[in-house]
Amino acid sequence: MTTNRTFTMIKPDAVAEGNSGAIIQMIEEAGFRIVAVKKALLTKERAGQFYAVHSERPFYNDLCAYMSSGAIIPMILEKDNAVADFRKLIGATNPAQAEEGTIRKRFAKSIEANAIHGSDSDDNAKIEGDFFFAGIEQF
Ligand code: CMP
């Protein structure tokens, strides 16, 4: 179990607006090491698989449409206490509640187009990282 790894993806709004470089800089300056990274386009079906845990929520369909509307940048990151520290760095899901200095405070546009995802547990970090990078060499 990789307890010091987390998974993230920079979402379509942030990639389309050219904010991925600034976001990656914030991530690296906060002490995270990039283990794996790529640019990808999700189909609506694959976005639905990734967010299957939310399939009963009212925002699920819109979320899947949004997450397949443009390129994303998924990454596996490494740092001590990675999952909790990364969630602190990205800030609250709703940018209106995100603290100053967080990625979502700076770049998120709405609760849906909130710039970036971060895994909420070690188990989900592994599952979500494998969703994009299973079988791919990681450094
Ligand atoms: P994320 O952390 O990737 O996890 C689920 C995503 O659903 C969330 O970020 C938002 O992009 C999106 N979402 C849209 N509406 C809501 C909502 N009302 N509550 C939580 N998440 C939402």
Side-chain angles (χ1 to χ4, degrees):
M1 168 59 96
T2 52
T3 52
N4 58 342
R5 286 186 179 183
T6 191
F7 170 80
T8 184
M9 58 184 161
I10 303 176
K11 297 187 178 184
D13 58 299
V15 175
E17 289 182 10
N19 292 327
S20 51
I23 290 174
I24 289 171
Q25 185 171 5
M26 285 179 78
I27 291 170
E28 292 193 316
E29 283 177 358
F32 292 87
R33 190 177 75 79
I34 297 172
V35 173
V37 59
K38 65 181 175 185
K39 194 169 187 180
L41 193 59
L42 288 171
T43 61
K44 199 170 175 198
E45 289 66 36
R46 227 166 117 67
Q49 287 165 16
F50 184 87
Y51 280 116
V53 65
H54 294 305
S55 61
E56 302 303 319
R57 308 284 290 274
F59 57 80
Y60 179 67
N61 270 336
D62 284 349
L63 175 63
C64 295
Y66 160 64
M67 287 303 299
S68 57
S69 68
I72 56 159
I73 299 179
M75 291 182 272
I76 294 173
L77 304 173
E78 193 167 75
K79 182 185 178 297
D80 290 348
N81 202 32
V83 168
D85 284 3
F86 194 72
R87 295 211 21 124
K88 213 179 282 176
L89 176 65
I90 65 178
T93 304
N94 184 348
Q97 288 154 13
E99 284 181 35
E100 277 311 323
T102 62
I103 292 173
R104 283 172 170 159
K105 178 72 180 180
R106 192 166 156 201
F107 295 109
K109 295 205 292 224
S110 67
I111 193 166
E112 177 178 87
N114 63 357
I116 193 160
H117 168 82
S119 301
D120 63 4
S121 67
D122 290 338
D123 286 349
N124 283 337
K126 171 87 176 98
I127 291 166
E128 293 173 356
D130 284 347
F131 187 89
F132 286 96
F133 296 106
I136 292 175
E137 201 86 43
Q138 294 174 15
F139 300 94

